[in-house]
Amino acid sequence: MGAAKERTLSIIKPDATRRNLTGKINSKFEDGGLKIVGQKRLQLTQTQAEKFYEVHKERPFFGDLVKFMVSGPVVVQVLEGPDAVAANRKIMGATNPANADAGTIRKEFAESIEANSVHGSDSLDNAKREINFFFAETEIVA
Ligand code: CMP
């Protein structure tokens, strides 16, 4: 029996869109067995960024995180595949690029723990919440 098909939310962050890395990052997802079934480029508002990262609002880095996430365009994406949440986390690498494995997106492209090129949902429950935050069901086409 194969792994269950899942969907997860990915965000290509402003440090990566600024350096025109969307295609290279998308190749990592596709080469890793994930299919991009929804995708759009957006300029987040302050309110949207604060709401999206609400779970981190008591953290000392919250203000800087929100400021960074509105500093330029992002690409929000729905990735689909077997064990998509875990598969995407493996492809991204550790949050801090200093700890990321060779070949991961963050090892190759991230500039710092803040400007770490991509966000990915950390659980299936959060994936559902985060996908609903950005996408209507009609915008996801497998
Ligand atoms: P992300 O997966 O988008 O979720 C929260 C983000 O906060 C995280 O990636 C990091 O980019 C950012 N961040 C900034 N500073 C820190 C920190 N000290 N610890 C954890 N996350 C941080």
Side-chain angles (χ1 to χ4, degrees), residues 11 13 52-53 56 59-62 64-65 68-69 89 92 95 106 112-121:
I11 305 179
K13 296 187 181 185
F52 182 79
Y53 279 119
H56 296 306
R59 305 267 213 120
F61 56 81
F62 180 71
D64 285 342
L65 171 63
F68 168 65
M69 290 301 288
R89 290 174 69 75
M92 289 191 296
T95 305
R106 283 162 171 165
S112 66
I113 193 169
E114 179 178 271
N116 67 351
S117 302
V118 279
H119 164 83
S121 308

Side-chain angles (χ1 to χ4, degrees), residues 57-119:
K57 69 171 181 289
E58 304 305 331
R59 305 267 213 120
F61 56 81
F62 180 71
D64 285 342
L65 171 63
V66 169
K67 200 169 156 194
F68 168 65
M69 290 301 288
V70 303
S71 70
V74 297
V75 178
V76 296
Q77 322 177 282
V78 181
L79 306 179
E80 184 181 89
D83 278 336
V85 173
N88 181 39
R89 290 174 69 75
K90 196 164 176 204
I91 294 165
M92 289 191 296
T95 305
N96 186 342
N99 303 326
D101 290 337
T104 61
I105 291 170
R106 283 162 171 165
K107 183 68 177 185
E108 287 190 19
F109 302 125
E111 297 178 318
S112 66
I113 193 169
E114 179 178 271
N116 67 351
S117 302
V118 279
H119 164 83

Side-chain angles (χ1 to χ4, degrees), residues 14-22 108-111 115-117:
D15 66 285
T17 59
R18 192 175 290 130
R19 287 175 290 150
N20 217 18
L21 292 171
T22 299
E108 287 190 19
F109 302 125
E111 297 178 318
N116 67 351
S117 302

